[in-house]
Amino acid sequence: MKDLPIRTLIAVLLIGLLALVLWLGGWVQAIVLGLISVIAVYEMHEIFAKKDIHPFVIPQAVLALTMYAAMYKLGMRYVLLLAVIAFTAIMIERILNKKRTTLDAVAGMFILIYPLAMLGCLGLIGFGRNDLSRIALFCCFAGPCMADNTAYMLGSTFGKHKLCPAISPNKTVEGAIGGVVGGALGGVIAYFVQKLWGLDVSLIMLVSLCFICGIVGQFGDLFSSTFKRWAGVKDYGNIFPGHGGVMDRLDSAMVSAPIIAVVFMLFVR
């Protein structure tokens, strides 16, 4: 309980940062997402290091820092070029560095996908069609975050049946069901928030999308937890006191981002 004030303060600051990114967009969004992605790469490196696996992560860090600026000013083709360069650099370094193992290289390639490709979808959404992109990016956080908070409240109050005790001992079936409902509530919030930018995406669309993200986000959370259990750590980091690291905060949002990107590109006009 003594950590509650600092935890609450950090939560308020993170919400404020999200609001700032959504409102200002552009270079502010590119810089914030870039720094967050670099930290995520470092956190994944440290998770692998706990198991004596040491991926070469300089290319991933450079990609993380530059890909959002490339999305914003140049377009996706240049992001793909940067990704190919990073992949090639990891491959060449494995061949030239006799101390690097194949398992190290595999871990390095994995980091290109998880978390970088997932986090990259946040930029793919955010730098899209002006104000419509803002509500898409908002949905990436509204659905999973509402699902997470609702799952915690209902699970701690009514939870009796363990969901995945081997992965996350505190999660319950009751909390997971509440999380799905919470995800849908995130869609309701998104519906009213979009009015700030004069948008009119249908309530059914936003609620359905955030409902799905409430489900997928919980799987993303559990998948993220498998790495922590494997490495024997509680959190990915401590950059956010009381909340853990970047990966702890974005594990649900980043797996929801590809879904939201596809839905908005195909179905939202």
Side-chain angles (χ1 to χ4, degrees):
M1 294 297 292
K2 66 180 180 180
D3 295 329
L4 186 59
I6 185 66
R7 180 181 174 85
T8 302
L9 175 61
I10 294 299
V12 171
L13 291 175
L14 290 174
I15 292 172
L17 180 62
L18 175 60
L20 185 68
V21 168
L22 287 170
W23 196 258
L24 297 179
W27 282 112
V28 172
Q29 182 175 314
I31 292 170
V32 171
L33 289 179
L35 292 175
I36 284 174
S37 296
V38 169
I39 296 170
V41 168
Y42 170 77
E43 289 176 352
M44 285 301 295
H45 174 273
E46 292 302 292
I47 286 291
F48 283 117
K50 294 288 184 181
K51 303 297 289 186
D52 200 28
I53 301 171
H54 303 281
F56 178 51
V57 293
I58 292 177
Q60 297 92 317
V62 172
L63 176 62
L65 197 60
T66 59
M67 65 179 177
Y68 301 104
M71 288 180 196
Y72 177 48
K73 298 304 292 184
L74 301 175
M76 274 304 299
R77 69 182 67 181
Y78 292 94
V79 178
L80 294 175
L81 175 62
L82 291 172
V84 169
I85 292 172
F87 178 90
T88 305
I90 296 169
M91 180 176 61
I92 292 174
E93 196 274 346
R94 164 64 185 95
I95 295 171
L96 298 180
N97 186 350
K98 296 180 180 180
K99 294 183 179 180
R100 192 79 61 189
T101 68
T102 299
L103 187 56
D104 294 338
V106 170
M109 298 294 186
F110 179 79
I111 291 174
L112 282 176
I113 300 172
Y114 187 90
L116 279 188
M118 304 288 101
L119 290 172
C121 288
L122 293 175
L124 181 63
I125 294 168
F127 295 123
R129 294 169 285 171
N130 300 319
D131 290 339
L132 196 60
S133 299
R134 300 180 190 227
I135 197 61
L137 187 59
F138 181 80
C139 286
C140 286
F141 296 92
C145 288
M146 283 297 296
D148 184 54
N149 290 327
T150 307
Y152 174 76
M153 289 187 293
L154 294 183
S156 59
T157 304
F158 303 106
K160 294 181 179 180
H161 303 88
K162 296 297 182 180
L163 182 64
C164 294
I167 297 175
S168 188
N170 295 325
K171 293 189 183 300
T172 64
V173 174
E174 293 81 1
I177 295 172
V180 174
V181 176
L185 291 175
V188 176
I189 294 173
Y191 176 76
F192 290 103
V193 168
Q194 72 172 332
K195 304 300 181 181
L196 295 172
W197 299 293
L199 300 173
D200 193 29
V201 180
S202 74
L203 177 62
I204 294 176
M205 171 66 76
L206 292 175
V207 169
S208 299
L209 181 58
C210 288
F211 173 83
I212 293 171
C213 290
I215 299 172
V216 174
Q218 292 187 69
F219 280 104
D221 187 359
L222 289 169
F223 181 69
S224 175
S225 294
T226 62
F227 286 93
K228 292 187 286 187
R229 299 297 171 262
W230 175 63
V233 298
K234 181 179 181 294
D235 296 313
Y236 279 90
N238 55 9
I239 190 171
F240 304 127
H243 293 267
V246 165
M247 291 290 294
D248 294 292
R249 290 298 84 208
L250 296 183
D251 51 9
S252 298
M254 69 184 190
V255 298
S256 299
I259 296 172
I260 292 172
V262 170
V263 170
F264 267 77
M265 287 177 182
L266 294 180
F267 303 110
V268 179
R269 297 289 181 266

